[in-house]
Amino acid sequence: VSETSSWTGTTTTNDKQSQSQIHKVEPVTRFSEDVNEAINAKQESLVRAETEILLLEGSFNDECNFINAIASGDAKEMIALNVSGTIMITTRSTLQAIEDSVLAQQFDDSKWKQGNTPCVKDWTPDDVRSWAYTIDNIPDEVANVFVENEIKGNELLALGIEGLKVLGIQRTGTVYLLSKEIEKLERASVDAVTFIEHSPYCFGKILDYLRLKQLQSRGLSKEPPLPKVCDMQKSRFEKVVRYYFPGDSAKFILG
């Protein structure tokens, strides 16, 4: 689940501005009744079309504002969640939308460490060389090979034993030592994903609601409706909500 917005049924500031731009047309009365009726029906049809276009334009502007708000955030605040096998991407601020909740505390500064873990896939060739320098028994000239071949972080993770040999690293011990260290990096990248051991359906409903609350706090949406949950999942959903939002804080989501 990517960090996207849901606008269905939501009247935003841009919607109201769009509605105010619609021209009010006085009904035609100077012709015969049949002609007047035909002209007025056509005018009403045009007004409805204009209304729809302006509302779509307003929604488009809202989407742009939402994307800009997310894109301007700190990349380190982006979080990958593994919710029982389903990957969801969000931000720390979204997870902390309801203060003092268990979920907010789980990602507060005192407990959150992912932001301090460098993302290997974003490494530059210089970063890759610096990493190689830290490995015992790896000669400096071998570390420099990564810069000479402009190997970036995502390419480093893709290198196997044969790939290292293609780069010109021929000594068997060095090749296997590097291969082992690359495997450690790859495992560390996977471990950086925060695991959530709850139903993806239930947690996804909570996350969508928190996203809408974030949009509201930025003036991009009105008060979001409470999550709608299918009958089969209501009991489980309430348990997940009460786990993350114990006591009265559960009312923010359950009503």
Side-chain angles (χ1 to χ4, degrees):
V1 179
S2 58
E3 186 81 34
T4 55
S5 57
S6 300
W7 297 104
T8 304
T10 300
T11 301
T12 64
T13 300
N14 276 328
D15 290 337
K16 294 175 181 177
Q17 291 175 346
S18 297
Q19 291 170 3
S20 67
Q21 296 173 22
I22 299 170
H23 301 292
K24 293 183 179 180
V25 181
E26 295 295 330
V28 175
T29 59
R30 64 178 179 270
F31 301 109
S32 66
E33 184 177 348
D34 290 343
V35 173
N36 289 339
E37 186 176 331
I39 294 175
N40 290 330
K42 179 63 69 176
Q43 286 189 152
E44 289 176 6
S45 176
L46 291 173
V47 169
R48 285 196 297 270
E50 182 183 15
T51 301
E52 183 176 353
I53 291 171
L54 289 173
L55 289 177
L56 287 173
E57 182 181 1
S59 295
F60 174 77
N61 291 333
D62 286 338
E63 291 285 356
C64 289
N65 290 335
F66 172 78
I67 293 171
N68 290 335
I70 295 298
S72 62
D74 188 345
K76 292 182 179 179
E77 290 294 295
M78 299 297 293
I79 295 176
L81 303 175
N82 181 345
V83 186
S84 296
T86 299
I87 301 300
M88 301 182 185
I89 308 297
T90 187
T91 63
R92 273 213 303 165
S93 59
T94 295
L95 296 169
Q96 295 177 302
I98 300 179
E99 296 181 1
D100 299 327
S101 66
V102 172
L103 186 63
Q105 293 173 9
Q106 183 176 342
F107 294 94
D108 68 15
D109 291 335
S110 64
K111 298 177 182 178
W112 179 242
K113 296 181 180 180
Q114 181 170 319
N116 297 324
T117 303
C119 183
V120 178
K121 291 182 179 180
D122 293 334
W123 280 2
T124 65
D126 285 335
D127 292 328
V128 174
R129 177 173 59 184
S130 297
W131 161 79
Y133 280 154
T134 65
I135 304 173
D136 292 337
N137 301 317
I138 295 297
D140 289 351
E141 58 268 23
V142 172
N144 290 331
V145 167
F146 293 111
V147 172
E148 293 168 1
N149 288 274
E150 300 181 350
I151 300 299
K152 300 176 182 178
N154 59 340
E155 296 167 336
L156 176 68
L157 294 177
L159 285 177
I161 290 175
E162 291 303 316
L164 292 169
K165 290 180 178 179
V166 169
L167 293 179
I169 304 172
Q170 296 298 326
R171 186 174 178 274
T172 302
T174 300
V175 168
Y176 278 90
L177 180 56
L178 281 172
S179 177
K180 182 178 179 180
E181 293 298 323
I182 290 173
E183 289 177 2
K184 288 181 181 179
L185 277 181
E186 192 168 12
R187 285 197 300 271
S189 297
V190 173
D191 292 342
V193 177
T194 301
F195 186 71
I196 301 291
E197 196 171 5
H198 288 290
S199 159
Y201 174 86
C202 296
F203 191 84
K205 289 288 185 179
I206 294 173
L207 188 57
D208 284 343
Y209 180 74
L210 295 179
R211 286 168 176 159
L212 290 175
K213 291 292 288 185
Q214 280 292 94
L215 292 178
Q216 179 199 6
S217 69
R218 294 171 179 171
L220 298 176
S221 172
K222 67 176 184 179
E223 178 71 26
L226 296 177
K228 293 183 179 180
V229 182
C230 67
D231 291 339
M232 293 181 61
Q233 294 287 346
K234 281 185 177 179
S235 177
R236 176 182 290 182
F237 177 73
E238 289 183 6
K239 289 179 181 179
V240 177
V241 170
R242 295 188 187 282
Y243 173 81
Y244 284 115
F245 308 94
D248 290 341
S249 63
K251 295 179 181 178
F252 284 103
I253 298 179
L254 297 177

